[in-house]
């Protein structure tokens, strides 16, 4: 059954205590994403509306796992999910969206500007080129295998950094082989993927 963004706003308000400004921003993000998609194939599907809503619902599932304060890095942001939605839900957190594909980075900057997200910075380059400063949370949606992502972000984490990973439902489970120092918290099955949560318990090692 086809849905529209209005069908999404009421449950989001109830689940995540969003105010009118945040709901308006989500509506704006949905509309502008569809507009941009006509010219740049940002979502690359026929039914953009239904796909966007599914991605939004899945992305918002990470909200309860965000910290009270800190900095969030979204690796390979692509179409802005989950980074832009989480930035709307948590305007008190600082978000960096790293996207190495120039066309996608420009679109993210347009989306950020259109919605008015002052807590978001778009990094139009590889995540490996970011300054060596630790983030409180690192998110990613199927951008690379876990060992690769772990290596890419070695300079960007510290003890206590939380990884929020949107992956294939069977790709990351509790008994998966994890990098040394990364402790499993929970794996929550969503509509299209699973949200996998793990915390850094040991300092990074350059040899990893």
């Amino acid at each position: 059954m086809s849905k529209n963004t209005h069908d999404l706003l009421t449950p989001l308000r109830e689940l995540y205590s969003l105010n009118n400004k945040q709901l308006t921003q989500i509506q704006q993000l949905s509309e502008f994403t569809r507009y941009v998609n006509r010219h740049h194939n940002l979502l690359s599907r026929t039914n953009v509306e239904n796909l966007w809503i599914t991605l939004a619902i899945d992305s918002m599932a990470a909200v309860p796992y965000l910290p009270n304060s800190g900095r969030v890095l979204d690796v390979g942001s692509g179409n802005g999910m989950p980074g832009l939605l989480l930035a709307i839900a948590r305007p008190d957190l600082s978000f960096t969206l790293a996207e190495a594909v120039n066309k996608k980075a420009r679109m993210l900057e347009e989306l950020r500007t259109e919605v008015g997200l002052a807590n978001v910075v778009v990094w139009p380059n590889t995540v490996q080129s970011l300054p060596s400063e630790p983030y409180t949370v690192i998110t990613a949606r199927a951008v690379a295998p876990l060992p690769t992502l772990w290596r890419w972000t070695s300079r960007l984490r510290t003890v206590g950094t939380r990884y929020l990973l949107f992956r294939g439902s069977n790709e990351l489970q509790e008994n998966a082989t994890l990098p040394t120092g990364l402790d499993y918290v929970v794996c929550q099955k969503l509509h299209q993927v699973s949200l996998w949560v793990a915390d850094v318990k040991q300092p990074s090692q350059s040899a990893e």
Side-chain angles (χ1 to χ4, degrees), residues 70-198:
R71 304 165 65 233
V72 181
L73 169 64
D74 188 31
V75 181
S77 295
N79 57 30
M81 304 284 189
L84 292 177
L85 261 296
L86 297 182
I88 291 173
R90 290 295 305 274
D92 54 321
L93 298 179
S94 174
F95 287 78
T96 297
L97 276 54
E99 176 52 62
V101 179
N102 188 259
K103 178 180 73 173
K104 292 182 179 180
R106 290 199 307 270
M107 294 306 101
L108 287 170
E109 182 60 35
E110 288 187 30
L111 290 168
R112 183 202 70 80
T113 302
E114 181 72 16
V115 179
L117 295 176
N119 61 329
V120 173
V121 172
V122 177
W123 181 261
N125 209 324
T126 64
V127 67
Q128 301 96 306
S129 66
L130 277 164
S132 299
E133 299 176 358
Y135 286 82
T136 315
V137 174
I138 296 175
T139 70
R141 185 182 177 92
V143 67
L146 179 55
T148 301
L149 181 65
W150 183 251
R151 186 173 64 253
W152 285 354
T153 55
S154 61
R155 300 177 299 102
L156 305 172
R157 62 175 177 262
T158 188
V159 174
T161 294
R162 168 159 288 184
Y163 280 76
L164 299 175
L165 307 178
F166 296 82
R167 318 291 297 205
S169 297
N170 298 319
E171 184 179 354
L172 295 173
Q173 302 295 340
E174 183 174 2
N175 60 355
T177 301
L178 305 181
T180 302
L182 188 61
D183 283 5
Y184 171 90
V185 175
V186 69
C187 184
Q188 178 182 347
K189 184 172 176 55
L190 305 174
H191 290 81
Q192 288 194 331
V193 294
S194 290
L195 171 60
W196 192 83
V197 184

Side-chain angles (χ1 to χ4, degrees), residues 23-49:
L23 295 173
T24 298
Q25 287 177 313
I26 291 174
Q27 179 71 37
Q28 291 172 330
L29 182 61
S30 172
E31 292 173 355
F32 197 62
T33 298
R34 294 201 306 275
Y35 170 78
V36 170
N37 194 66
R38 297 192 196 107
H39 305 283
H40 298 283
N41 202 30
L42 204 59
L43 290 176
S44 66
R45 292 284 184 89
T46 302
N47 195 335
V48 174
E49 181 78 7

Side-chain angles (χ1 to χ4, degrees), residues 8-27:
L8 173 68
L9 300 183
T10 297
L12 289 188
R13 181 198 292 273
E14 296 172 353
L15 286 171
Y16 304 110
S17 302
L18 302 182
N19 58 37
N20 288 337
K21 178 182 178 181
Q22 291 167 310
L23 295 173
T24 298
Q25 287 177 313
I26 291 174
Q27 179 71 37

